[in-house]
Amino acid sequence: GQQVMQIPQYQHVQEGEDFTTYCNSSTTLSNIQWYKQRPGGHPVFLIQLVKSGEVKKQKRLTFQFGEAKKNSSLHITATQTTDVGTYFCAGHGNMLTFGGGTRLMVKP
Amino acid sequence: GAVVSQHPSWVICKSGTSVKIECRSLDFQATTMFWYRQFPKQSLMLMATSNEGSKATYEQGVEKDKFLINHASLTLSTLTVTSAHPEDSSFYICARGENNSPLHFGNGTRLTVT
């Protein structure tokens, strides 16, 4: 079945450093979605990528969708303490499958 | 504001009792809603897809007689955890989504079974 792998599992960064999480699917995706879950909260939708090679930006966040539509990344520039949380990718193939998530911790 | 409302936010119950969790779509009639379970520091695992007016579709390994889903109207889906045991303690989250559109999650219900 469809599998979505996400790395790293955890990342500690100093405030101001950059952060990247990577997502890889075992199958070609029709789209990929990214969500953020704050500690104790519920996942909140960030963005959806549909086109091969697509790049989208939201302030300090940059999202990429690979050319083969099987991988994606989220890059945060100059992290802030408000970026703390777990970032999940979710790949839409024949069903929506969540990656394991990357837990970001930011030291002030 | 929130488009999916989930209640209760947390519940503590004794082993053997049943717990009902409600999920309401506030701004959109939802023919489909999803129920997820999340153990601490883990990912979201889809339990079942709730279909308005018909039987829910359960994922492999999820006991349909233990996790009863009712989607009697276009705005309300309920999940009942029957005869709860401590291993059922988890974070249960509902979500609304149509076709390939992004999911709108409820606030989640933290269930603790003692």
Side-chain angles (χ1 to χ4, degrees):
Chain A
Q2 181 181 308
Q3 291 184 337
V4 176
M5 307 298 291
Q6 196 173 347
I7 57 170
Q9 199 172 358
Y10 304 95
Q11 184 85 62
H12 291 255
V13 299
Q14 196 73 42
E15 189 174 22
E17 291 181 338
D18 292 356
F19 159 78
T20 305
T21 172
Y22 301 90
C23 187
N24 285 286
S25 169
S26 59
T27 59
T28 303
L29 303 170
S30 59
N31 68 63
I32 194 156
Q33 301 165 6
W34 285 91
Y35 296 81
K36 177 184 179 181
Q37 184 176 21
R38 292 182 186 274
H42 62 280
V44 174
F45 171 72
L46 294 176
I47 210 160
Q48 177 171 284
L49 304 171
V50 178
K51 299 176 184 176
S52 169
E54 188 170 15
V55 178
K56 285 189 176 180
K57 291 191 175 185
Q58 288 180 350
K59 296 183 181 178
R60 294 178 294 104
L61 276 62
T62 302
F63 304 84
Q64 287 189 307
F65 200 10
E67 294 289 342
K69 299 184 75 173
K70 294 181 72 173
N71 61 291
S72 181
S73 65
L74 157 58
H75 179 82
I76 302 178
T77 304
T79 54
Q80 299 175 359
T81 54
T82 53
D83 296 326
V84 163
T86 302
Y87 293 84
F88 291 99
C89 62
H92 218 129
N94 55 350
M95 58 184 291
L96 187 67
T97 303
F98 279 84
T102 297
R103 192 173 169 207
L104 172 64
M105 288 152 279
V106 180
K107 289 179 266 187
Chain B
V3 297
V4 177
S5 173
Q6 188 172 341
H7 179 81
S9 298
W10 58 271
V11 58
I12 301 172
C13 71
K14 289 187 177 179
S15 189
T17 60
S18 295
V19 174
K20 180 188 277 190
I21 302 169
E22 294 187 345
C23 182
R24 294 182 185 274
S25 178
L26 300 179
D27 65 338
F28 190 83
Q29 291 184 329
T31 55
T32 303
M33 296 190 83
F34 304 94
W35 287 95
Y36 286 87
R37 179 167 56 186
Q38 185 180 39
F39 291 107
K41 299 182 182 179
Q42 293 191 23
S43 189
L44 298 147
M45 299 303 298
L46 180 65
M47 298 175 67
T49 302
S50 170
N51 304 299
E52 188 270 335
S54 64
K55 291 182 180 179
T57 304
Y58 289 82
E59 296 300 305
Q60 192 171 9
V62 179
E63 298 176 57
K64 62 180 181 181
D65 294 329
K66 180 168 182 63
F67 298 99
L68 300 178
I69 290 174
N70 186 287
H71 194 150
S73 78
L74 287 169
T75 59
L76 175 65
S77 175
T78 61
L79 167 67
T80 301
V81 183
T82 62
S83 186
H85 289 101
E87 57 265 30
D88 297 325
S89 298
S90 189
F91 190 49
Y92 294 87
I93 324 175
C94 66
R96 188 196 78 201
E98 301 290 334
N99 300 321
N100 285 348
S101 63
L103 297 177
H104 292 280
F105 286 90
N107 286 340
T109 298
R110 201 161 301 278
L111 170 64
T112 302
V113 185
T114 61

